[in-house]
Amino acid sequence: MDFPLRMPDVSACKGLAAIALGMSALTACGSEPNETSPAPSDTSPSTSRTNTTTPGAPPGAKVLGTPRKGQPFTLTTTYTDTPEPTKLQITVTSVTCGKPLDKSVLAYAASSIGTSTPTPKPESGKQYCVVVLDTVNIGNREIIWDTTDTVSLNVGATRYTQSQDDANHAGDYGQYLASKGRTGPSFGLNPGSKGPAPGVFQIPAGSTPSTLWVTSGTAIETIDGIEPGYLVKLS
């Protein structure tokens, strides 16, 4: 059974992305990812390039690589308040669309706050897609990272990011997986540690996602503009 994760209360996880972006504007503490080249184990295609026509990549974004689902790539991010970059090896392992959110995940989330199990439904004309990215901290310091504002699931050239509700559901998946001993980066990963990063997206019903964009910044777009990233091919 594939479990996209729900991260720690997304208010905490998502707050990190929001704080990083806010600090970028107010205190010059936002992210300014360095251009990266794939690590030796990185199977993503060679040279980086600035996107002008590649469907799924934000217009003007530098495409650092185009790995396929199941192939690892290394996300390197440098923050202006910390000169040492973080390095997170990521592998997109599963993308499940058109199914209800996992009942076990929803029940666990409800029990943790003492409420009845909800039955969330996607927006009219939409379907849920649950994505799981396996991550490994291959850097020298702790990493806190999640899929909120950093990942888009794409159908051709149309890019879908997580709404607040979607991010909350992703957080539920993350908490559920952590309860099973699979703690992900939204809780913090020390060097050498690994764990899943789940995401929950809504795309048009009946459509099939073609790519996943993963930014190397703290958000897909910051006050500095569109950040570089990887375009993962799903088929």
Side-chain angles (χ1 to χ4, degrees):
M1 165 161 68
D2 283 328
F3 297 115
L5 320 178
R6 196 178 182 183
M7 331 244 111
D9 196 316
V10 171
S11 59
C13 301
K14 185 161 187 178
L16 291 163
I19 290 172
L21 181 57
M23 292 179 74
S24 210
L26 299 178
T27 62
C29 291
S31 73
E32 293 183 73
N34 285 344
E35 295 179 9
T36 72
S37 39
S41 61
D42 193 340
T43 56
S44 55
S46 52
T47 56
S48 62
R49 62 191 182 280
T50 298
N51 173 56
T52 55
T53 60
T54 306
K62 189 167 202 176
V63 180
L64 301 175
T66 55
R68 293 188 176 276
K69 176 184 172 186
Q71 294 181 320
F73 58 95
T74 299
L75 201 66
T76 301
T77 304
T78 299
Y79 300 84
T80 55
D81 59 337
T82 306
E84 184 177 28
T86 60
K87 292 186 177 182
L88 190 66
Q89 181 176 282
I90 296 176
T91 306
V92 178
T93 55
S94 68
V95 180
T96 304
C97 296
K99 296 182 178 180
L101 299 181
D102 191 280
K103 291 182 179 179
S104 297
V105 171
L106 298 174
Y108 179 82
S111 67
S112 68
I113 57 175
T115 63
S116 58
T117 302
T119 307
K121 294 181 179 180
E123 300 169 18
S124 177
K126 297 288 185 69
Q127 62 177 329
Y128 283 125
C129 288
V130 178
V131 177
V132 178
L133 296 78
D134 282 351
T135 67
V136 183
N137 184 348
I138 59 174
N140 296 320
R141 64 186 182 94
E142 183 188 35
I143 293 176
I144 298 176
W145 186 87
D146 64 22
T147 56
T148 303
D149 297 328
T150 59
V151 174
S152 71
L153 185 64
N154 315 314
V155 179
T158 306
R159 304 178 303 279
Y160 298 89
T161 54
Q162 295 179 121
S163 67
Q164 181 63 62
D165 283 345
D166 297 335
N168 287 336
H169 292 314
D172 290 337
Y173 273 88
Q175 291 178 348
Y176 178 79
L177 291 171
S179 76
K180 302 298 182 181
R182 300 180 62 198
T183 302
S186 62
F187 295 90
L189 287 182
N190 277 311
S193 296
K194 61 182 179 179
V200 176
F201 300 83
Q202 294 187 52
I203 66 173
S207 62
T208 300
S210 53
T211 59
L212 191 81
W213 176 259
V214 184
T215 183
S216 63
T218 53
I220 293 174
E221 183 173 7
T222 68
I223 60 170
D224 297 318
I226 299 294
E227 299 288 354
Y230 288 85
L231 188 65
V232 183
K233 297 181 179 180
L234 300 179
S235 61

